[in-house]
Amino acid sequence: AQSVTQLDSQVPVFEEAPVELRCNYSSSVSVYLFWYVQYPNQGLQLLLKYLSGSTLVKGINGFEAEFNKSQTSFHLRKPSVHISDTAEYFCAVGPRETSGSRLTFGEGTQLTVNP
Amino acid sequence: DAGITQSPRHKVTETGTPVTLRCHQTENHRYMYWYRQDPGHGLRLIHYSYGVKDTDKGEVSDGYSVSRSKTEDFLLTLESATSSQTSVYFCAISESKVWRLGYGYTFGSGTRLTVV
């Protein structure tokens, strides 16, 4: 079984500031890792994913995340945020080996970018 | 979202009535999922399906049933709606092959259900 902990439920920042949204996970097997973004009144969209290879993953809208196996973390970062980045962000994990496996989601982090 | 449609988008219903939500996909994906989203809980899996007539329970399945008679449709039924089932419900689909699992899910736009 897997579990995901998003360490901050709300993160307020000012426009053009850097931001980090923290995600830790627990799993007894090797996993894939994902970040999804949900804009107000919309469904979830894939932001980026870690499958294998380089531990630094780049996604859409200037976001990136770093996989740290020893710390079982997958933190999301952006060097300079915009008002339009205001949204809820979800970290998710899924086991590699099993076909069609379910993703386990964290509780979400609300990012609010203020002018 | 392209290839996956949820209906209705909004619904208000009375306590004790049955309610059915529909998820329709045009991607021919084998796997389909129903999640509910509640503040402070993120997304929690209700039921999922790995093929026609093949379904299984998730972590919060009590009070819900599902059916999948065709690849493209996955129905979620609240047998007797309660106020605790007021939530936003999301359907998701995914590829069937293990090596494609890394693509994760594609989500529908959600159904906002209010039970009064």
Side-chain angles (χ1 to χ4, degrees):
Chain A
Q2 295 81 44
S3 66
V4 179
T5 303
Q6 292 185 238
L7 299 169
D8 306 290
S9 60
Q10 301 203 25
V11 175
V13 295
F14 288 109
E15 193 173 17
E16 298 183 4
V19 70
E20 178 180 79
L21 306 184
R22 298 178 294 167
C23 172
N24 288 347
Y25 70 93
S26 173
S27 177
S28 57
V29 300
S30 181
V31 296
Y32 296 122
L33 294 154
F34 305 84
W35 275 99
Y36 284 84
V37 59
Q38 184 182 31
Y39 298 105
N41 300 312
Q42 295 186 26
L44 281 73
Q45 304 172 32
L46 182 64
L47 196 57
L48 50 79
K49 57 185 180 285
Y50 173 75
L51 307 181
S52 64
S54 173
T55 57
L56 184 62
V57 179
K58 294 190 183 298
I60 61 173
N61 300 337
F63 283 92
E64 62 182 30
E66 185 159 19
F67 170 56
N68 188 318
K69 187 174 182 180
S70 63
Q71 297 187 8
T72 60
S73 67
F74 191 53
H75 300 335
L76 181 70
R77 302 185 182 103
K78 187 170 183 178
S80 176
V81 294
H82 301 133
I83 298 288
S84 59
D85 292 323
T86 294
E88 189 154 23
Y89 293 79
F90 292 93
C91 182
V93 61
R96 289 176 176 266
E97 287 79 10
T98 306
S99 176
S101 289
R102 301 159 283 170
L103 291 182
T104 300
F105 288 84
E107 296 178 356
T109 297
Q110 175 64 45
L111 173 65
T112 301
V113 181
N114 298 302
Chain B
D1 290 290
I4 178 170
T5 306
Q6 290 185 234
S7 59
R9 290 297 309 275
H10 302 272
K11 186 171 182 66
V12 179
T13 192
E14 293 186 350
T15 298
T17 61
V19 177
T20 296
L21 309 182
R22 181 182 184 232
C23 179
H24 177 78
Q25 60 143 330
T26 58
E27 303 296 322
N28 200 36
H29 286 188
R30 180 178 173 187
Y31 294 87
M32 299 185 75
Y33 310 82
W34 277 108
Y35 284 85
R36 59 178 289 173
Q37 182 182 23
D38 304 288
H41 293 278
L43 280 81
R44 293 180 290 174
L45 182 66
I46 305 171
H47 281 279
Y48 62 105
S49 169
Y50 35 95
V52 173
K53 297 191 189 316
D54 281 329
T55 64
D56 207 346
K57 296 180 180 180
E59 60 181 306
V60 291
S61 60
D62 287 348
Y64 301 94
S65 62
V66 290
S67 67
R68 189 156 176 215
S69 58
K70 299 184 290 184
T71 298
E72 58 266 34
D73 289 323
F74 192 32
L75 305 180
L76 175 71
T77 297
L78 288 66
E79 294 146 4
S80 178
T82 68
S83 59
S84 65
Q85 294 175 312
T86 292
S87 186
V88 180
Y89 292 86
F90 284 100
C91 177
I93 60 176
S94 70
E95 295 275 2
S96 60
K97 299 294 186 181
V98 171
W99 60 274
R100 283 190 176 274
L101 178 62
Y103 287 87
Y105 293 171
T106 300
F107 282 88
S109 298
T111 294
R112 185 174 296 275
L113 177 69
T114 303
V115 183
V116 297

